[in-house]
Amino acid sequence: MRLILIAMLASLFFSQSAVAQSSNDPLDTRIFKNGWWVGGGVGWSDVDADDVILDDDSVGFNVGLGYQFLNYFGVNVRYRNLGEFSDSINPGSSSVDVDIDGWTGGLTAGYPISKRIAPVIGLGYYDFDFDADSGIEDNDSQGLYVSAGIATQIGRIVVQPNFIWYDVDDYDLLGAEINFFWKFETGN
């Protein structure tokens, strides 16, 4: 977890160094401009389920589409594959492997604290499939998620490391990811 956090912060720092020499366009002073975006990212997720003694982490990915409106607010939809999680059902017995993937949709809000950096928060809905190969039944889970992160923009590319908490009934499900978005600006 610490290594992932350090990598995310390092990428943000180095991207800011590249921005120091960027365009002087006066319209380029806001990190958020109205328009569509497409993108994706990689992330780390941790699941902890006491009822089946499942406690593992995994690396996954996401791809998405969104629209930024009113300069500081946006909507998005993403397919997320959180990865495969493995652990033993009972100590000394067979193991269980669970794949978690599905769709999320949400709202984001951010406010620039400088020309190129903005804290961002998100609130949304997820619909995940929990597919197990043994030991527990497959099931679906729906609920809310909350995210928080920092966004920076380099030209038309937004780099956004963030943390996500999913409100899952029988599991503790947390994530950290770094996303890259290509912006198609439509105005302001």
Side-chain angles (χ1 to χ4, degrees):
M1 170 68 176
R2 289 184 210 161
L3 182 59
I4 292 169
L5 181 59
I6 291 170
M8 293 169 84
L9 292 174
S11 68
L12 183 62
F13 173 76
F14 289 119
S15 65
Q16 288 303 305
S17 298
V19 168
Q21 304 287 331
S22 68
S23 164
N24 291 327
D25 180 1
L27 291 177
D28 205 19
T29 59
R30 277 191 318 224
I31 188 170
F32 297 117
K33 294 181 183 178
N34 298 344
W36 290 94
W37 61 260
V38 295
V42 295
W44 167 89
S45 298
D46 181 66
V47 65
D48 184 9
D50 294 330
D51 59 339
V52 293
I53 310 175
L54 178 62
D55 185 7
D56 195 17
D57 53 41
S58 183
V59 174
F61 68 93
N62 73 75
V63 293
L65 171 70
Y67 185 74
Q68 187 73 33
F69 62 94
L70 300 176
N71 298 327
Y72 306 114
F73 299 97
V75 295
N76 65 74
V77 62
R78 297 183 203 203
Y79 169 77
R80 293 182 188 274
N81 184 322
L82 301 183
E84 182 176 303
F85 303 87
S86 299
D87 210 342
S88 62
I89 298 170
N90 294 313
S93 69
S94 63
S95 67
V96 61
D97 296 322
V98 178
D99 291 320
I100 302 174
D101 68 337
W103 293 91
T104 62
L107 301 170
T108 58
Y111 189 80
I113 57 175
S114 75
K115 286 178 144 185
R116 299 285 182 187
I117 297 177
V120 179
I121 58 171
L123 175 65
Y125 182 79
Y126 72 86
D127 185 358
F128 287 155
D129 293 325
F130 288 73
D131 298 323
D133 69 351
S134 65
I136 61 174
E137 292 183 23
D138 292 352
N139 63 15
D140 295 338
S141 181
Q142 300 86 25
L144 296 177
Y145 73 86
V146 177
S147 65
I150 296 176
T152 185
Q153 187 168 341
I154 305 168
R156 292 184 186 267
I157 297 177
V158 175
V159 179
Q160 181 179 334
N162 63 358
F163 294 97
I164 302 174
W165 171 75
Y166 299 96
D167 183 23
V168 182
D169 291 336
D170 300 327
Y171 300 87
D172 292 330
L173 185 55
L174 304 170
E177 60 189 16
I178 185 162
N179 297 302
F180 300 92
F181 310 119
W182 178 265
K183 296 283 297 268
F184 300 97
E185 296 165 2
T186 58
N188 307 2

